Amino acid sequence: MDERRTLRWIRISIVVLMIGLVVSGVTAFPLRLELGFASNLLHDSPAAIWFPDAVGWVDRVADALTDVDARYPFIAYGTDWLAFAHLVIAVVFIGPLVDPVRNIWVIQFGVIACIGIVPLALIAGSVRGIPLGWQLIDISFGVIGAIPAVIAWRLTRRLERMRAQEVVVA
């Protein structure tokens, strides 16, 4: 694989990761509306029969968010900050998008953050009473995010070696 093609695949991988972060961030703002919609959608589908516990959990969370929003709307400020953090982290990946070799540490940070989702989901999820199935869904975000991050990391290392060989040859 030549240098231009390697750089293109690095950038594609980073853009995929950035899009995931932006979508995760933007969708954290309207949680109450999203969960109400999801609850209605699940009840109108075969999921209510196939996965009654999952549908019950979505209903419980939707009800809790409605109750909290009505009584304590300032609590949602915490998820606003969560959303903002996702957007800020996406912006940080502009550095490796421009120069992946120089900013490989950002890609490595992304991989570490994705790996860190696993113990966080398992520990905090257990402490907070989150069902294991939901914890596994949360873990899947880390696994899915790690795929383009690891690809970008490996390709960036390859690009670094290619550039080092060019310097030796020249």
Side-chain angles (χ1 to χ4, degrees), residues 11-32:
R11 289 180 172 154
I12 289 169
S13 298
I14 291 170
V15 166
V16 166
L17 182 61
M18 290 172 75
I19 289 170
L21 285 163
V22 169
V23 168
S24 293
V26 169
T27 58
F29 286 112
L31 282 180
R32 186 180 55 79

PDB file of all heavy atoms in Angstrom, residues 11-32:
ATOM      1  N   ARG A  11      -7.466   8.449   7.291  1.00  0.00           N
ATOM      2  CA  ARG A  11      -8.453   9.532   7.389  1.00  0.00           C
ATOM      3  C   ARG A  11      -9.881   8.993   7.362  1.00  0.00           C
ATOM      4  O   ARG A  11     -10.743   9.488   8.097  1.00  0.00           O
ATOM      5  CB  ARG A  11      -8.213  10.551   6.283  1.00  0.00           C
ATOM      6  CG  ARG A  11      -6.950  11.354   6.546  1.00  0.00           C
ATOM      7  CD  ARG A  11      -6.662  12.363   5.483  1.00  0.00           C
ATOM      8  NE  ARG A  11      -5.555  13.217   5.905  1.00  0.00           N
ATOM      9  CZ  ARG A  11      -4.758  13.847   5.072  1.00  0.00           C
ATOM     10  NH1 ARG A  11      -4.941  13.753   3.765  1.00  0.00           N
ATOM     11  NH2 ARG A  11      -3.781  14.598   5.533  1.00  0.00           N
ATOM     12  N   ILE A  12     -10.145   7.996   6.566  1.00  0.00           N
ATOM     13  CA  ILE A  12     -11.477   7.384   6.543  1.00  0.00           C
ATOM     14  C   ILE A  12     -11.796   6.804   7.919  1.00  0.00           C
ATOM     15  O   ILE A  12     -12.891   7.008   8.453  1.00  0.00           O
ATOM     16  CB  ILE A  12     -11.578   6.313   5.439  1.00  0.00           C
ATOM     17  CG1 ILE A  12     -11.596   6.979   4.060  1.00  0.00           C
ATOM     18  CG2 ILE A  12     -12.809   5.426   5.645  1.00  0.00           C
ATOM     19  CD1 ILE A  12     -11.426   6.016   2.898  1.00  0.00           C
ATOM     20  N   SER A  13     -10.845   6.090   8.501  1.00  0.00           N
ATOM     21  CA  SER A  13     -11.050   5.488   9.823  1.00  0.00           C
ATOM     22  C   SER A  13     -11.307   6.557  10.878  1.00  0.00           C
ATOM     23  O   SER A  13     -12.203   6.413  11.725  1.00  0.00           O
ATOM     24  CB  SER A  13      -9.830   4.660  10.223  1.00  0.00           C
ATOM     25  OG  SER A  13      -9.633   3.601   9.324  1.00  0.00           O
ATOM     26  N   ILE A  14     -10.548   7.632  10.830  1.00  0.00           N
ATOM     27  CA  ILE A  14     -10.726   8.712  11.809  1.00  0.00           C
ATOM     28  C   ILE A  14     -12.074   9.406  11.616  1.00  0.00           C
ATOM     29  O   ILE A  14     -12.759   9.717  12.590  1.00  0.00           O
ATOM     30  CB  ILE A  14      -9.544   9.707  11.734  1.00  0.00           C
ATOM     31  CG1 ILE A  14      -8.261   9.028  12.244  1.00  0.00           C
ATOM     32  CG2 ILE A  14      -9.838  10.975  12.533  1.00  0.00           C
ATOM     33  CD1 ILE A  14      -6.995   9.812  12.004  1.00  0.00           C
ATOM     34  N   VAL A  15     -12.466   9.631  10.386  1.00  0.00           N
ATOM     35  CA  VAL A  15     -13.761  10.273  10.124  1.00  0.00           C
ATOM     36  C   VAL A  15     -14.904   9.383  10.627  1.00  0.00           C
ATOM     37  O   VAL A  15     -15.869   9.884  11.221  1.00  0.00           O
ATOM     38  CB  VAL A  15     -13.924  10.619   8.625  1.00  0.00           C
ATOM     39  CG1 VAL A  15     -15.364  10.962   8.282  1.00  0.00           C
ATOM     40  CG2 VAL A  15     -13.002  11.774   8.250  1.00  0.00           C
ATOM     41  N   VAL A  16     -14.799   8.077  10.425  1.00  0.00           N
ATOM     42  CA  VAL A  16     -15.823   7.164  10.943  1.00  0.00           C
ATOM     43  C   VAL A  16     -15.914   7.289  12.465  1.00  0.00           C
ATOM     44  O   VAL A  16     -17.011   7.381  13.028  1.00  0.00           O
ATOM     45  CB  VAL A  16     -15.527   5.708  10.515  1.00  0.00           C
ATOM     46  CG1 VAL A  16     -16.370   4.709  11.299  1.00  0.00           C
ATOM     47  CG2 VAL A  16     -15.740   5.538   9.018  1.00  0.00           C
ATOM     48  N   LEU A  17     -14.772   7.321  13.129  1.00  0.00           N
ATOM     49  CA  LEU A  17     -14.746   7.478  14.588  1.00  0.00           C
ATOM     50  C   LEU A  17     -15.342   8.821  15.003  1.00  0.00           C
ATOM     51  O   LEU A  17     -16.150   8.896  15.935  1.00  0.00           O
ATOM     52  CB  LEU A  17     -13.305   7.354  15.097  1.00  0.00           C
ATOM     53  CG  LEU A  17     -13.099   7.434  16.601  1.00  0.00           C
ATOM     54  CD1 LEU A  17     -13.843   6.320  17.320  1.00  0.00           C
ATOM     55  CD2 LEU A  17     -11.612   7.355  16.916  1.00  0.00           C
ATOM     56  N   MET A  18     -14.987   9.879  14.291  1.00  0.00           N
ATOM     57  CA  MET A  18     -15.513  11.216  14.604  1.00  0.00           C
ATOM     58  C   MET A  18     -17.029  11.274  14.411  1.00  0.00           C
ATOM     59  O   MET A  18     -17.740  11.872  15.233  1.00  0.00           O
ATOM     60  CB  MET A  18     -14.821  12.276  13.737  1.00  0.00           C
ATOM     61  CG  MET A  18     -13.371  12.495  14.093  1.00  0.00           C
ATOM     62  SD  MET A  18     -12.519  13.585  12.913  1.00  0.00           S
ATOM     63  CE  MET A  18     -13.192  15.177  13.399  1.00  0.00           C
ATOM     64  N   ILE A  19     -17.520  10.662  13.357  1.00  0.00           N
ATOM     65  CA  ILE A  19     -18.970  10.649  13.120  1.00  0.00           C
ATOM     66  C   ILE A  19     -19.673   9.921  14.267  1.00  0.00           C
ATOM     67  O   ILE A  19     -20.700  10.389  14.760  1.00  0.00           O
ATOM     68  CB  ILE A  19     -19.301  10.010  11.751  1.00  0.00           C
ATOM     69  CG1 ILE A  19     -18.869  10.946  10.626  1.00  0.00           C
ATOM     70  CG2 ILE A  19     -20.791   9.673  11.643  1.00  0.00           C
ATOM     71  CD1 ILE A  19     -18.922  10.326   9.235  1.00  0.00           C
ATOM     72  N   GLY A  20     -19.100   8.803  14.710  1.00  0.00           N
ATOM     73  CA  GLY A  20     -19.676   8.080  15.844  1.00  0.00           C
ATOM     74  C   GLY A  20     -19.723   8.935  17.096  1.00  0.00           C
ATOM     75  O   GLY A  20     -20.717   8.936  17.833  1.00  0.00           O
ATOM     76  N   LEU A  21     -18.659   9.676  17.350  1.00  0.00           N
ATOM     77  CA  LEU A  21     -18.627  10.561  18.519  1.00  0.00           C
ATOM     78  C   LEU A  21     -19.669  11.677  18.407  1.00  0.00           C
ATOM     79  O   LEU A  21     -20.361  11.987  19.381  1.00  0.00           O
ATOM     80  CB  LEU A  21     -17.228  11.156  18.687  1.00  0.00           C
ATOM     81  CG  LEU A  21     -16.167  10.211  19.241  1.00  0.00           C
ATOM     82  CD1 LEU A  21     -14.767  10.742  18.973  1.00  0.00           C
ATOM     83  CD2 LEU A  21     -16.388   9.995  20.728  1.00  0.00           C
ATOM     84  N   VAL A  22     -19.775  12.268  17.235  1.00  0.00           N
ATOM     85  CA  VAL A  22     -20.746  13.352  17.048  1.00  0.00           C
ATOM     86  C   VAL A  22     -22.173  12.828  17.201  1.00  0.00           C
ATOM     87  O   VAL A  22     -22.998  13.444  17.896  1.00  0.00           O
ATOM     88  CB  VAL A  22     -20.546  14.045  15.676  1.00  0.00           C
ATOM     89  CG1 VAL A  22     -21.707  14.975  15.348  1.00  0.00           C
ATOM     90  CG2 VAL A  22     -19.229  14.812  15.655  1.00  0.00           C
ATOM     91  N   VAL A  23     -22.465  11.684  16.594  1.00  0.00           N
ATOM     92  CA  VAL A  23     -23.814  11.113  16.719  1.00  0.00           C
ATOM     93  C   VAL A  23     -24.113  10.782  18.181  1.00  0.00           C
ATOM     94  O   VAL A  23     -25.190  11.095  18.694  1.00  0.00           O
ATOM     95  CB  VAL A  23     -23.974   9.872  15.812  1.00  0.00           C
ATOM     96  CG1 VAL A  23     -25.245   9.098  16.135  1.00  0.00           C
ATOM     97  CG2 VAL A  23     -23.962  10.282  14.341  1.00  0.00           C
ATOM     98  N   SER A  24     -23.143  10.179  18.873  1.00  0.00           N
ATOM     99  CA  SER A  24     -23.337   9.872  20.299  1.00  0.00           C
ATOM    100  C   SER A  24     -23.560  11.142  21.102  1.00  0.00           C
ATOM    101  O   SER A  24     -24.390  11.167  22.018  1.00  0.00           O
ATOM    102  CB  SER A  24     -22.120   9.133  20.859  1.00  0.00           C
ATOM    103  OG  SER A  24     -22.000   7.874  20.286  1.00  0.00           O
ATOM    104  N   GLY A  25     -22.832  12.185  20.766  1.00  0.00           N
ATOM    105  CA  GLY A  25     -22.979  13.444  21.488  1.00  0.00           C
ATOM    106  C   GLY A  25     -24.304  14.115  21.227  1.00  0.00           C
ATOM    107  O   GLY A  25     -25.033  14.476  22.150  1.00  0.00           O
ATOM    108  N   VAL A  26     -24.658  14.250  19.970  1.00  0.00           N
ATOM    109  CA  VAL A  26     -25.894  14.956  19.612  1.00  0.00           C
ATOM    110  C   VAL A  26     -27.119  14.214  20.153  1.00  0.00           C
ATOM    111  O   VAL A  26     -28.070  14.842  20.619  1.00  0.00           O
ATOM    112  CB  VAL A  26     -25.977  15.146  18.078  1.00  0.00           C
ATOM    113  CG1 VAL A  26     -27.336  15.631  17.646  1.00  0.00           C
ATOM    114  CG2 VAL A  26     -24.890  16.116  17.617  1.00  0.00           C
ATOM    115  N   THR A  27     -27.084  12.901  20.130  1.00  0.00           N
ATOM    116  CA  THR A  27     -28.250  12.142  20.610  1.00  0.00           C
ATOM    117  C   THR A  27     -28.341  12.098  22.124  1.00  0.00           C
ATOM    118  O   THR A  27     -29.363  11.646  22.659  1.00  0.00           O
ATOM    119  CB  THR A  27     -28.245  10.704  20.052  1.00  0.00           C
ATOM    120  OG1 THR A  27     -27.036  10.046  20.436  1.00  0.00           O
ATOM    121  CG2 THR A  27     -28.395  10.706  18.541  1.00  0.00           C
ATOM    122  N   ALA A  28     -27.341  12.571  22.839  1.00  0.00           N
ATOM    123  CA  ALA A  28     -27.435  12.619  24.304  1.00  0.00           C
ATOM    124  C   ALA A  28     -28.246  13.827  24.781  1.00  0.00           C
ATOM    125  O   ALA A  28     -28.709  13.829  25.911  1.00  0.00           O
ATOM    126  CB  ALA A  28     -26.038  12.640  24.932  1.00  0.00           C
ATOM    127  N   PHE A  29     -28.442  14.830  23.934  1.00  0.00           N
ATOM    128  CA  PHE A  29     -29.219  16.007  24.344  1.00  0.00           C
ATOM    129  C   PHE A  29     -30.708  15.689  24.539  1.00  0.00           C
ATOM    130  O   PHE A  29     -31.260  15.989  25.581  1.00  0.00           O
ATOM    131  CB  PHE A  29     -29.041  17.163  23.353  1.00  0.00           C
ATOM    132  CG  PHE A  29     -27.709  17.852  23.442  1.00  0.00           C
ATOM    133  CD1 PHE A  29     -26.786  17.757  22.409  1.00  0.00           C
ATOM    134  CD2 PHE A  29     -27.368  18.614  24.554  1.00  0.00           C
ATOM    135  CE1 PHE A  29     -25.563  18.403  22.481  1.00  0.00           C
ATOM    136  CE2 PHE A  29     -26.140  19.266  24.638  1.00  0.00           C
ATOM    137  CZ  PHE A  29     -25.241  19.150  23.607  1.00  0.00           C
ATOM    138  N   PRO A  30     -31.387  15.072  23.556  1.00  0.00           N
ATOM    139  CA  PRO A  30     -32.840  14.857  23.708  1.00  0.00           C
ATOM    140  C   PRO A  30     -33.205  13.467  24.250  1.00  0.00           C
ATOM    141  O   PRO A  30     -34.076  12.785  23.715  1.00  0.00           O
ATOM    142  CB  PRO A  30     -33.351  15.036  22.274  1.00  0.00           C
ATOM    143  CG  PRO A  30     -32.237  14.494  21.431  1.00  0.00           C
ATOM    144  CD  PRO A  30     -30.960  14.848  22.170  1.00  0.00           C
ATOM    145  N   LEU A  31     -32.547  13.029  25.306  1.00  0.00           N
ATOM    146  CA  LEU A  31     -32.766  11.662  25.811  1.00  0.00           C
ATOM    147  C   LEU A  31     -34.227  11.363  26.132  1.00  0.00           C
ATOM    148  O   LEU A  31     -34.737  10.291  25.799  1.00  0.00           O
ATOM    149  CB  LEU A  31     -31.917  11.415  27.060  1.00  0.00           C
ATOM    150  CG  LEU A  31     -30.451  11.120  26.833  1.00  0.00           C
ATOM    151  CD1 LEU A  31     -29.756  10.888  28.176  1.00  0.00           C
ATOM    152  CD2 LEU A  31     -30.246   9.937  25.930  1.00  0.00           C
ATOM    153  N   ARG A  32     -34.897  12.267  26.799  1.00  0.00           N
ATOM    154  CA  ARG A  32     -36.286  12.016  27.203  1.00  0.00           C
ATOM    155  C   ARG A  32     -37.165  11.780  25.976  1.00  0.00           C
ATOM    156  O   ARG A  32     -37.943  10.834  25.931  1.00  0.00           O
ATOM    157  CB  ARG A  32     -36.825  13.171  28.044  1.00  0.00           C
ATOM    158  CG  ARG A  32     -38.217  12.902  28.611  1.00  0.00           C
ATOM    159  CD  ARG A  32     -38.734  14.061  29.447  1.00  0.00           C
ATOM    160  NE  ARG A  32     -38.741  15.341  28.753  1.00  0.00           N
ATOM    161  CZ  ARG A  32     -39.677  15.714  27.867  1.00  0.00           C
ATOM    162  NH1 ARG A  32     -40.669  14.921  27.586  1.00  0.00           N
ATOM    163  NH2 ARG A  32     -39.599  16.895  27.302  1.00  0.00           N
TER     164      ARG A  32
END
